[in-house]
Amino acid sequence: MLQYRQIDTDIVDQNLLLMSTIIKTDSEIEKMRIAGKLASEVLDMIEEHVKPGITTEELDTICHDYMVNEQDSIPACLNYRGFPKSVCTSVNHVICHGIPGEKRLKKGDIINIDVTVIKDGYHGDNSRMYHVGKPTILGQRICEVAKESMLIGIDMVKPGVHLGDIGHAIQTHAESNNFSVVREYCGHGIGKGFHEEPQVLHYGRPNTGMALVEGMTFTIEPMINAGKKDTRLLADNWTVVTRDHSLSAQWEHTVLVTATGYEILTASANSVHP
Ligand code: MF3
Ligand code: CO
Ligand code: CO
């Protein structure tokens, strides 16, 4: 119970964050639908190329050329804060921000491909897991649980729901499958900016954090580890791996808060939805 003149700092924090969160207009939303669809179509396109023997650099080149030449979109990752490639490729125990390179994929690997495009000034950001050849039992399970975690989080989105409710639902699903949730990296507001307010944590407590408002656009992108939640940043200053070298999986969509719920902006022929 608050006393007279005492300030509820959580409400103050929530209001300050809300002021720095950009509510999109209808014309901005239309542009984000287009950018989101393009980002998702890159993930549709690359699926058939994810085969044993291909290198992550070759996957990067195929995605790059498709964005630039077929879509007339800009690969947002290229040169973003010095990132050297056009997409992120994170294999097995790599959690996120893997840099495409000489590494050849082999049967049983799992790989996250994370694609962000810019079209007409707006971003669409999404990622999926792919199996290389026949999956292992654990590889299959962790990709499935990471996907379900994202979908459960998305399905909670509507005005008035708190970010902590979403984080809590994701965390509960992952942990009830004996997996862990990465803490150091999170979803984010998105629009003209690649990473805008708010931060969207994939763990948390119900009824805490910002309440959602119609017109917000953000990503939900849980990173789920088979072992412990702890991370390590490699010397390249980008690649994030599980400290215990356990497998890790991630799925990502960009979503819009609508009057009654949500719309997935990174939608295309082969994208997965709740
Ligand atoms: N696409 C990633 C995200 O989901 C960010 C990648 S930043 C990069 O937010 F520089 F590594 F490409
Ligand atoms: Co993102
Ligand atoms: Co992304």
Side-chain angles (χ1 to χ4, degrees), residues 84-261:
K85 296 288 182 179
S86 296
V87 303
C88 298
T89 51
S90 303
V91 180
N92 295 338
H93 69 293
V94 178
I95 297 171
C96 64
H97 303 164
I99 303 174
E102 317 272 68
K103 186 181 176 61
R104 264 178 217 292
L105 299 182
K106 56 179 196 314
K107 186 180 133 217
D109 284 346
I110 59 171
I111 179 174
N112 173 278
I113 303 180
D114 193 334
V115 170
T116 310
V117 310
I118 308 171
K119 182 72 172 183
D120 206 2
Y122 287 82
H123 291 74
D125 183 9
N126 64 173
S127 78
R128 297 180 201 160
M129 296 302 300
Y130 302 86
H131 294 292
V132 182
K134 183 176 155 21
T136 65
I137 300 282
L138 182 61
Q140 181 126 46
R141 253 192 77 220
I142 191 152
C143 292
E144 205 55 35
V145 170
K147 187 204 296 180
E148 290 162 2
S149 300
M150 173 191 71
L151 294 174
I152 286 167
I154 290 172
D155 213 28
M156 298 196 59
V157 171
K158 66 173 181 189
V161 165
H162 292 256
L163 285 176
D165 301 328
I166 295 172
H168 179 75
I170 291 170
Q171 181 181 11
T172 300
H173 186 67
E175 291 180 356
S176 67
N177 280 279
N178 284 315
F179 293 147
S180 61
V181 177
V182 169
R183 303 298 203 266
E184 291 92 337
Y185 303 88
C186 57
H188 48 91
I190 181 168
K192 272 191 190 186
F194 193 161
H195 295 108
E196 301 180 347
E197 293 297 342
Q199 296 198 63
V200 180
L201 304 183
H202 305 112
Y203 61 95
R205 282 175 294 115
N207 230 5
T208 63
M210 189 193 292
L212 301 183
V213 172
E214 183 181 354
M216 285 180 178
T217 50
F218 54 83
T219 71
I220 296 183
E221 49 179 304
M223 283 144 270
I224 307 300
N225 296 349
K228 297 210 168 79
K229 65 183 186 312
D230 309 75
T231 68
R232 191 161 66 85
L233 182 65
L234 297 191
D236 61 21
N237 263 301
W238 279 107
T239 312
V240 181
V241 299
T242 54
R243 215 166 241 285
D244 61 8
H245 276 79
S246 63
L247 281 185
S248 186
Q250 175 180 32
W251 288 73
E252 174 177 28
H253 265 313
T254 299
V255 300
L256 161 73
V257 183
T258 65
T260 54

Side-chain angles (χ1 to χ4, degrees), residues 37-105:
K37 180 161 190 274
L38 292 172
S40 190
E41 285 173 346
V42 178
L43 295 179
D44 289 355
M45 178 279 300
I46 201 64
E47 180 164 15
E48 65 171 306
H49 298 280
V50 183
K51 291 265 164 61
I54 197 164
T55 68
T56 51
E57 187 148 53
E58 287 165 345
L59 293 172
D60 179 75
T61 301
I62 297 166
C63 290
H64 175 96
D65 292 350
Y66 191 77
M67 289 186 256
V68 171
N69 301 328
E70 309 281 327
Q71 296 186 331
D72 198 19
S73 70
I74 299 169
C77 293
L78 187 58
N79 300 321
Y80 177 76
R81 296 174 181 242
F83 191 79
K85 296 288 182 179
S86 296
V87 303
C88 298
T89 51
S90 303
V91 180
N92 295 338
H93 69 293
V94 178
I95 297 171
C96 64
H97 303 164
I99 303 174
E102 317 272 68
K103 186 181 176 61
R104 264 178 217 292
L105 299 182

